[in-house]
Amino acid sequence: MDEACDMVEKLKRFTLTMGQDKMLTNIMKLQELFVAVTFSDVKEANLQVVAKDIGSINDHNNLRPISDSDQTLSINVAWNLVSINDFDEANGYIEVSGYLKLEWVADIYTSDSKNYDGSDTIKYDLMWKPPIMILNSLSYFEEIGHAAKPRIRFHYKKKTCTWMPRVTTRVGCSPDVKFYPFDMQKCVIKLAIWGYPSNEVNITPSINQWTFKQFDENGKWEIRETNVESTVEDDVSMLSLGINIKRRPMYYIINIITPVIILGVLNSFAFILPTESGERVGFAVTCYLSYVVLLNMIMGFLPSAAAPMSLLGYYTFIMMVFMGAMAVTTIFTVRIYHKDKSEKVPTIYQSLFSCIQSCKKACKNTHTVEPFETHSSEDDWSISSNSDQGKKVNSDQGKKITLPMISGFLDWLFFFGFLGGQIFSLSATWFQYS
């Protein structure tokens, strides 16, 4: 500062010996030089004083940087999410990357110039940092910022410290895959001040939700809701960072749900194939084996959690049972068709077939429309009609029920039965989702 004042006096005497034209230029240069010198001196002086104060308490770095030890040091925290790296339903964890913005007042550090409104970065090891731990971390259990050691920005006039350590962590999260792949997951990152009771150091949220300034969208998950809550447990100040994420289901609809439904419906049409073609059993078995191969492929997509188990897992199991049953019944109907025609039809098949035929005739008779007008030859017409109907009934009753007829009847019965069962299973599963 003394050197700057001497330089100003010399320049004043020098400008008096010069002309008026150069005087203004010299004065402007003088101002620039004076500002540069004073700013450099003030900054260096403040750095020396702050470094001296930091060095004096460096041996006691665990002490809070607060002048009144009876007061509580508050740490304002804001969490900025950068990316969602992974969510594992089987192992129950979520991995995220982001950074914390921590702010606190360190009034224990002094400065020669209280009017200097500037800031500088201080080395990680020279200042007190809040020892924040991630309680439910699965990857490591150490203080945040311990590895990277980012610098701390100190403001001389306000005496505020700003620290932004980067965090990449894997925290435990209990998955709920009941409605997979239309599920929504809720996860919480728990931060705590380690080593200080809540009446000495507490953490409070700067904002009650997450920020996404540098966030990269995830192709598998979309964020629905975030929240930040401050709590105290066992006299420890804690901060809970909650997030709700919803799975994007289109990939799973195309690659899992649609092939399972198509293959199940396709297998039902094995009963429509003519028995004489000899391809019915091969078609049914091929569809079943195709489904088994498809199931092995999609098992990597299905969550392996058993509590609760996903509805899609139940549905795929039901479809596998359906396809196995259809292959067995196809073999059964083909065996009935190719039996010796001279072999007597079992009574149970005859009774079932006659019952179905009677029901069909009853339904047809209920739709018969009788004439309202009478004619002179009504009696003759009624007699002939009744006699014709009697002959038809007698011919139907006298018609022999054969095993191919029973086989064809069972084909249609199983076709509509299995197809209806699949539609019912799909509708029931969709009803649970909705």
Side-chain angles (χ1 to χ4, degrees), residues 174-426:
S174 299
D176 184 3
V177 294
K178 180 180 180 181
F179 300 105
Y180 176 92
F182 304 96
D183 54 329
M184 181 180 294
Q185 305 296 335
K186 299 180 180 180
C187 299
V188 178
I189 303 174
K190 295 182 179 180
L191 306 179
I193 293 290
W194 203 254
Y196 291 93
S198 59
N199 60 347
E200 292 184 0
V201 180
N202 69 342
I203 48 179
T204 57
S206 302
I207 185 173
N208 60 357
Q209 59 184 0
W210 297 18
T211 56
F212 306 94
K213 295 179 180 179
Q214 287 86 28
F215 180 68
D216 294 330
E217 287 290 339
N218 189 278
K220 188 176 180 180
W221 298 93
E222 60 177 332
I223 299 175
R224 285 302 183 90
E225 183 182 1
T226 60
N227 60 81
V228 181
E229 296 180 357
S230 178
T231 58
V232 176
E233 297 181 9
D234 297 331
D235 200 24
V236 176
S237 181
M238 299 180 60
L239 203 66
S240 298
L241 310 175
I243 182 173
N244 295 352
I245 54 177
K246 182 176 176 60
R247 193 188 305 269
R248 302 179 191 271
M250 186 56 62
Y251 176 82
Y252 305 93
I253 292 175
I254 296 175
N255 293 278
I256 298 178
I257 299 178
T258 303
V260 170
I261 295 175
I262 293 176
L263 200 57
V265 173
L266 186 64
N267 200 12
S268 301
F269 283 87
F271 298 104
I272 306 299
L273 284 174
T275 310
E276 296 85 356
S277 64
E279 300 293 336
R280 178 180 292 188
V281 177
F283 179 79
V285 173
T286 302
C287 288
Y288 179 75
L289 295 178
S290 300
Y291 183 79
V292 172
V293 173
L294 177 65
L295 191 61
N296 290 331
M297 293 176 60
I298 66 178
M299 283 301 295
F301 298 100
L302 295 178
S304 57
M309 187 173 175
S310 65
L311 295 175
L312 183 59
Y314 285 114
Y315 178 74
T316 53
F317 172 75
I318 292 174
M319 289 297 102
M320 185 177 64
V321 173
F322 266 113
M323 291 187 179
M326 280 188 281
V328 173
T329 52
T330 302
I331 297 172
F332 176 70
T333 55
V334 172
R335 184 175 181 275
I336 292 177
Y337 182 85
H338 288 288
K339 276 188 175 183
D340 190 2
K341 296 182 179 180
S342 61
E343 186 176 346
K344 184 180 179 181
V345 179
T347 307
I348 185 172
Y349 293 155
Q350 293 184 9
S351 302
L352 183 61
F353 187 79
S354 300
C355 180
I356 299 297
Q357 293 294 328
S358 300
C359 292
K360 290 172 61 177
K361 290 178 181 179
C363 292
K364 290 181 179 180
N365 292 334
T366 56
H367 296 285
T368 303
V369 180
E370 297 181 355
F372 290 96
E373 297 181 0
T374 59
H375 302 277
S376 58
S377 59
E378 181 181 1
D379 296 336
D380 298 336
W381 180 83
S382 299
I383 293 172
S384 61
S385 178
N386 290 333
S387 61
D388 294 339
Q389 290 181 0
K391 291 179 181 179
K392 185 176 182 180
V393 171
N394 292 333
S395 63
D396 292 339
Q397 291 179 352
K399 191 175 182 180
K400 185 179 179 180
I401 300 176
T402 61
L403 289 175
M405 294 173 59
I406 297 296
S407 178
F409 163 72
L410 293 177
D411 286 341
W412 287 105
L413 180 65
F414 288 139
F415 171 74
F416 288 110
F418 281 112
L419 189 61
Q422 293 185 50
I423 294 174
F424 175 79
S425 301
L426 181 61

